[in-house]
Amino acid sequence: MCSVVGIYGNENASKLAFYSLFSMQHRGQEAAGISSSFKGHIKTVKNRGLVTQIFKEEDFKILKGDMAIGHTRYSTAGDDSILDAQPIFARYGLGEISIVHNGNLVNAKEIRKELIKKGAIFQSNMDTENLIHLIAKDYQKNTLKERITDAVKKVKGAFSLVILSRHKMFALRDPFGFRPLSIGKIRSGGYIVASETCAFELVDAEFIRDIKPGEMIIFEDNEIKSEMVFKPSPKQCIFEYIYFARPDSDVFGKNVYLARKQMGRELAKELPVVADMVVPVPDSGVAAALGYSEESGIPFEMGIMRNHYVGRTFIEPTQEIRNLKVKMKLSPIIEKIKGKRLVVIDDSIVRGTTSKRIVRMLRDAGAKEVHMRIAAPATIAPCYYGVDTPTKEELIASKMSVEEIRKYIEADSLAYLTIESIIKAINDKRENYCFACFDGNYPVYDFFSFSCPYNCKI
Ligand code: AMP
């Protein structure tokens, strides 16, 4: 997953982009970058690392101008190298351009192969670089808007994009709207587009609305115009609500914290358990655990503490290191949990490493019973649209039944929320969301990159 931001018409554009990226750091910690446009030239600063490590005061002297775009990276396509940091900048027939992208293109390999056959050379392994090439090669079209429109019609998959040219900015979402993208009005002047509305708070912007699936917003001559590039066919990512987005953000029209809390309530209704205490796995299970506690009347306690100085445990290369990192990250409050029957709430089980470790840790700390409740269905299929999930073989629920997983993680009981209850919790229509990681039903795929392993409808 990644985050994108665009600032238009504010003299502190690059600073505001920086603050926005800082607020969206949770969406990607590998690399970050900002491009700004000033007097007909685009300048870019990007590097590996966290937003606060990358940008120094002197960078903002380079990043002048009243338009800027930015990105935080969490690699799901491409490599972990500086070349794969965004924005991607290029000089081409119409001048200069810089792009940031959240999402994954599913036909990227196919397009790249075609472009290379025609003589294109690539600097990175990122699917996003395809878009720059498609735009640059579309020389029959004289405007960038037409070229962007042509380019996005050739790619398939998930893309929330912000594109900066020397004098304009474009923001658009793929027809499915997999990834969020919202527009706000900055009180000190100009506009912001960002993956999450938590960025609006920090830069003092007022939420205007979400960009619609298939819509392109054009920022030009101090105005915003809208155009539908695709017929919308919403399939927004349900995992944004479950895990990814920050609880204070509103995504797809709803507040994430409230959605998660309601999921916890549904979990309590659907999967009750007799226990003394509801304990969240911090931070991902906190909102759902509060909902579970309110609905069930079982007291909520922070029985597990999280060390915030440990990075992600998820994509560590070996199982041994992953195990150690879970231990470094989470520890029990023994006095609270000793002799107690616990309902432990987390948002998801992926490989099973975290849950197994947590159950063992709580038992070692003296818990009498440990009942795991997951505020999402079992993850059975990888995401090809920008969420970092391992291969199908590594997903524990793709090869084990709920009872087998329960035994593996050594819990007294284990239960997952159903898709129907999630729908109830967010109070929306099922057809507006992508549940591919839970039901294997991929809204868009490409046989060249992966063939639909389950029951795809297309
Ligand atoms: P695992 O240990 O592999 O079962 O991973 C489960 C834990 O990872 C849960 O606590 C989730 O909150 C967290 N998680 C789930 N999906 C992701 C993701 N895409 N990136 C990072 N962490 C995740």
Side-chain angles (χ1 to χ4, degrees):
M1 190 63 71
C2 300
S3 72
V4 294
V5 63
I7 307 284
Y8 179 84
N10 190 293
E11 58 182 2
N12 291 315
S14 60
K15 272 268 166 79
L16 297 184
F18 165 83
Y19 288 119
S20 305
L21 294 181
F22 177 74
S23 74
M24 297 189 291
Q25 184 76 81
H26 61 285
R27 296 182 73 88
Q29 298 98 35
E30 272 166 34
I34 295 175
S35 287
S36 74
S37 182
F38 181 62
K39 291 194 174 167
H41 288 292
I42 294 177
K43 293 273 165 59
T44 299
V45 174
K46 60 180 178 177
N47 213 334
R48 296 182 63 186
L50 299 174
V51 174
T52 48
Q53 294 165 337
I54 295 168
F55 296 97
K56 309 277 174 286
E57 201 49 48
E58 55 268 27
D59 293 325
F60 297 99
K61 291 187 188 125
I62 300 169
L63 295 169
K64 286 192 239 170
D66 64 0
M67 291 192 284
I69 61 169
H71 189 261
T72 60
R73 175 166 174 78
Y74 182 159
S75 70
T76 48
D79 291 340
D80 191 10
S81 85
I82 173 67
L83 286 176
D84 282 15
Q86 295 192 27
I88 310 184
F89 166 80
R91 294 190 182 86
Y92 73 120
L94 299 180
E96 296 182 5
I97 187 174
S98 202
I99 297 191
V100 288
H101 171 205
N102 177 202
N104 270 12
L105 305 179
V106 295
N107 64 343
K109 283 189 201 156
E110 189 182 347
I111 291 199
R112 178 168 292 216
K113 214 173 159 197
E114 271 306 302
L115 287 164
I116 288 175
K117 233 197 264 171
K118 290 182 188 149
I121 51 170
F122 282 84
Q123 299 233 356
S124 77
N125 281 319
M126 266 184 299
D127 52 356
T128 315
E129 201 178 346
N130 289 352
L131 285 165
I132 288 255
H133 280 278
L134 292 171
I135 290 168
K137 283 186 175 294
D138 193 12
Y139 54 86
Q140 282 107 335
K141 299 285 167 65
N142 291 324
T143 67
L144 178 55
K145 193 183 87 182
E146 289 170 294
R147 290 192 185 197
I148 294 172
T149 306
D150 286 353
V152 294
K153 287 193 170 158
K154 291 196 178 97
V155 299
K156 281 196 213 169
F159 48 89
S160 278
L161 295 166
V162 190
I163 302 175
L164 183 68
S165 72
R166 290 175 299 179
H167 305 290
K168 295 175 203 169
M169 192 174 88
F170 301 82
L172 65 146
R173 276 174 92 194
D174 64 71
F176 304 98
F178 285 110
R179 301 284 145 235
L181 195 58
S182 309
I183 323 177
K185 176 108 192 65
I186 305 168
R187 289 194 177 86
S188 61
Y191 295 93
I192 175 172
V193 286
S195 299
E196 284 190 37
T197 59
C198 61
F200 295 3
E201 273 305 306
L202 199 55
V203 305
D204 197 19
E206 194 186 335
F207 173 80
I208 300 178
R209 66 176 176 87
D210 285 343
I211 296 179
K212 295 179 200 133
E215 185 185 20
M216 170 154 70
I217 302 287
I218 305 136
F219 300 81
E220 185 180 10
D221 301 329
N222 294 317
E223 279 182 22
I224 46 176
K225 287 176 213 145
S226 153
E227 229 173 72
M228 290 310 292
V229 176
F230 298 97
K231 187 168 170 282
S233 167
K235 288 280 175 234
Q236 305 176 110
C237 170
I238 200 68
F239 207 63
E240 292 277 353
Y241 283 130
I242 290 168
Y243 174 79
F244 228 92
R246 229 171 77 160
D248 54 337
S249 288
D250 291 348
V251 298
F252 313 140
K254 284 171 199 74
N255 174 258
V256 174
Y257 174 79
L258 295 180
R260 277 184 202 159
K261 204 167 165 196
Q262 193 55 36
M263 286 178 204
R265 284 185 169 277
E266 296 300 330
L267 196 58
K269 281 188 221 162
E270 198 176 296
L271 305 157
V273 59
V274 179
D276 304 311
M277 201 182 279
V278 176
V279 174
V281 175
D283 298 323
S284 48
V286 172
L290 278 165
Y292 196 104
S293 166
E294 278 183 15
E295 185 65 36
S296 64
I298 304 171
F300 172 96
E301 284 287 356
M302 290 297 292
I304 303 172
M305 282 317 290
R306 175 173 168 187
N307 183 331
H308 284 266
Y309 302 97
V310 180
R312 291 161 46 213
T313 52
F314 195 65
I315 310 294
E316 287 297 338
T318 67
Q319 190 63 25
E320 210 172 284
I321 297 180
R322 270 197 298 273
N323 278 332
L324 182 70
K325 277 219 155 171
V326 174
K327 223 173 178 177
M328 286 164 70
K329 189 164 162 181
L330 302 171
S331 58
I333 299 180
I334 298 174
E335 290 69 18
K336 273 276 155 221
I337 58 187
K338 210 171 177 175
K340 298 283 181 353
R341 297 167 300 175
L342 311 178
V343 196
V344 179
I345 314 280
D346 203 358
D347 69 291
S348 55
I349 296 181
V350 182
R351 292 186 181 84
T353 317
T354 310
S355 307
K356 190 177 174 69
R357 171 69 208 134
I358 286 170
V359 175
R360 190 164 295 166
M361 178 182 85
L362 294 171
R363 286 202 197 284
D364 289 349
K368 199 160 135 203
E369 290 171 21
V370 183
H371 301 274
M372 282 299 292
R373 291 291 179 273
I374 305 299
T379 307
I380 57 156
C383 177
Y384 295 100
Y385 310 127
V387 174
D388 198 358
T389 36
T391 59
K392 185 167 175 271
E393 292 65 45
E394 289 172 279
L395 294 171
I396 193 167
S398 79
K399 53 188 184 208
M400 286 190 200
S401 66
V402 175
E403 176 53 16
E404 284 167 337
I405 300 172
R406 183 200 67 75
K407 278 198 190 130
Y408 173 78
I409 65 170
E410 296 167 2
D412 291 288
S413 73
L414 164 69
Y416 292 91
L417 196 61
T418 58
I419 289 182
E420 290 65 38
S421 295
I422 291 186
I423 294 297
K424 228 189 272 169
I426 62 171
N427 190 22
D428 205 337
K429 291 190 193 126
R430 177 173 177 155
E431 61 262 33
N432 287 343
Y433 291 88
C434 173
F435 283 92
C437 51
F438 304 129
D439 66 5
N441 205 341
Y442 292 99
V444 57
Y445 66 101
D446 194 277
F447 281 110
F448 194 86
S449 304
F450 72 98
S451 49
C452 183
Y454 292 96
N455 48 340
C456 302
K457 287 197 181 120
I458 293 174

